[in-house]
Amino acid sequence: MADFQGQLNELPPGIRYSLPSWFEDELRNANLCSEEHLTWMRNPAPISMRVVGKRPVGEMLAVLEKYSPKTDTRFPGALIFPSASPPYESPEFSRGEIQPQDLASQAIVDILQPEKAQRLLEVGAGLGVKTRQILERLPETATAVAVDLSSSRLKLLKRSTEDRRLQVREMDALEPMDFDEACFDAILLDAPCSGLGTVRRHPEILWWRKPVDIENNVETQKAMLENVSRHLSVGGVMVYAVCSLLLDEGRKVVEAFVDRNQNFAVLPVSSKLDSAEPPFFVSSPLSHNADYFFAALITRKE
């Protein structure tokens, strides 16, 4: 048995961990091919949720006790459940009082700091997971616009909140957007991506995605960033975020954008989760027991 284990350990990581060869190459490019990272990548992820609404977290802990939840002092509204004990059958989940949201996803809104905004745009709002988090911190005098290409998702978003500060718009962010130039002082671009940052939750995604998918994503991400940035005011901030560990979908997209547009600059992020790659935000299972996320904070200088 010992000899067999030794022979197994000598095999390339892609074989030992059942990784497509192109993905193994991407891990090496991102310095994520260590045994520690690969082991964590294959461990089941905990189930992170956020309490939505007015019920105190302490009350939720008691109500959901049989699911063995824990809290995280960095995220007051977060509840973390063991991977083997999801609360999906609880009445609280059915009523939408708790919603799945990884800690790294919650950190994205921290980077945006919506409490400082007066006119905020969220592109790629989807079902409104981050939208509701934003509204909890948005000033009462502020307004927000949530944009998505999917009408069905936006309908569900409208049902989940009746906040008077929020306007929901079906819109393609690859096309000219029906907003004035430089009219938002805060923008969240939750860009479409490979989703490979969620590999612990969806290991099958490794075999769904192909290199050509990544190439197409990158072209879309670059075009969206160019288009959306036109509506950021001077001195405003924009967060570009993807749930991906690939350099091509994260750092390289932002660096190329700033190189092309000298009136924009990258700012250091401020987050409750320490980043291993400042000035950008980069999370990982090994460092944070969270999904792989990338985020950049961009400002318009003139």
Side-chain angles (χ1 to χ4, degrees):
M1 180 62 72
D3 290 343
F4 174 77
Q5 187 63 49
Q7 293 173 6
L8 183 64
N9 291 339
E10 291 177 1
L11 292 173
I15 295 177
R16 283 186 286 118
Y17 291 92
S18 187
L19 305 174
S21 59
W22 70 267
F23 184 68
E24 182 181 356
D25 292 340
E26 294 289 351
L27 291 180
R28 293 188 189 282
N29 292 337
N31 295 317
L32 296 174
C33 212
S34 69
E35 289 295 325
E36 285 185 303
H37 271 290
L38 292 171
T39 300
W40 272 91
M41 190 183 299
R42 285 308 197 187
N43 286 339
I47 299 163
S48 298
M49 296 207 170
R50 199 173 67 83
V51 176
V52 180
K54 298 182 179 180
R55 291 185 73 175
V57 173
E59 182 180 329
M60 281 293 191
L61 276 171
V63 170
L64 298 169
E65 182 180 8
K66 71 176 183 178
Y67 299 101
S68 304
K70 294 182 179 179
T71 57
D72 188 308
T73 55
R74 299 168 299 182
F75 298 90
L79 293 177
I80 303 169
F81 302 86
S83 59
S85 183
Y88 300 143
E89 296 182 0
S90 68
E92 289 71 25
F93 180 78
S94 298
R95 292 195 294 263
E97 295 177 0
I98 52 174
Q99 65 181 14
Q101 188 177 9
D102 188 77
L103 294 183
S105 173
Q106 296 183 41
I108 298 301
V109 175
D110 284 336
I111 296 169
L112 183 64
Q113 294 184 303
E115 61 273 12
K116 296 182 179 180
Q118 280 302 309
R119 192 142 194 258
L120 186 147
L121 172 65
E122 181 187 8
V123 178
L127 297 174
V129 172
K130 294 186 186 73
T131 311
R132 290 188 285 276
Q133 191 182 358
I134 287 170
L135 292 172
E136 291 174 5
R137 297 171 56 171
L138 194 70
E140 285 300 318
T141 56
T143 58
V145 182
V147 168
D148 200 271
L149 188 58
S150 169
S151 58
S152 59
R153 289 185 176 185
L154 290 177
K155 286 178 182 177
L156 292 173
L157 170 55
K158 288 179 182 179
R159 290 178 195 168
S160 68
T161 178
E162 296 180 355
D163 196 302
R164 59 177 177 75
R165 297 168 297 172
L166 178 67
Q167 181 184 6
V168 176
R169 299 278 300 275
E170 182 180 346
M171 193 177 294
D172 185 351
L174 288 172
E175 301 293 335
M177 303 179 78
D178 188 21
F179 303 120
D180 293 335
E181 293 281 325
C183 64
F184 293 100
D185 57 357
I187 297 175
L188 171 58
L189 173 52
D190 206 345
C193 68
S194 64
L196 287 165
T198 65
V199 63
R200 288 195 302 168
R201 305 177 194 282
H202 305 288
E204 72 281 358
I205 201 171
L206 293 178
W207 302 100
W208 290 352
R209 298 290 184 257
K210 304 296 179 186
V212 66
D213 300 326
I214 311 305
E215 294 170 7
N216 292 337
N217 286 341
V218 169
E219 292 306 311
T220 297
Q221 292 154 358
K222 288 180 178 179
M224 289 181 72
L225 188 51
E226 289 281 354
N227 199 30
V228 172
S229 67
R230 298 188 181 100
H231 304 288
L232 183 66
S233 64
V234 175
V237 293
M238 174 172 57
V239 172
Y240 170 86
V242 287
C243 54
S244 174
L245 49 75
L246 303 183
L247 297 180
D248 285 348
E249 293 190 294
R251 175 189 287 268
K252 290 185 179 180
V253 168
V254 173
E255 290 177 340
F257 169 77
V258 174
D259 285 345
R260 290 192 305 271
N261 298 275
Q262 298 298 311
N263 56 329
F264 289 86
V266 173
L267 299 175
V269 299
S270 176
S271 168
K272 295 173 182 176
L273 297 180
D274 295 332
S275 175
E277 298 183 31
F280 303 114
F281 170 78
V282 177
S283 63
S284 74
L286 176 60
S287 301
H288 311 103
N289 200 16
D291 288 343
Y292 292 96
F293 262 79
F294 171 89
L297 184 64
I298 302 168
T299 188
R300 185 171 192 163
K301 297 183 292 184
E302 58 185 40

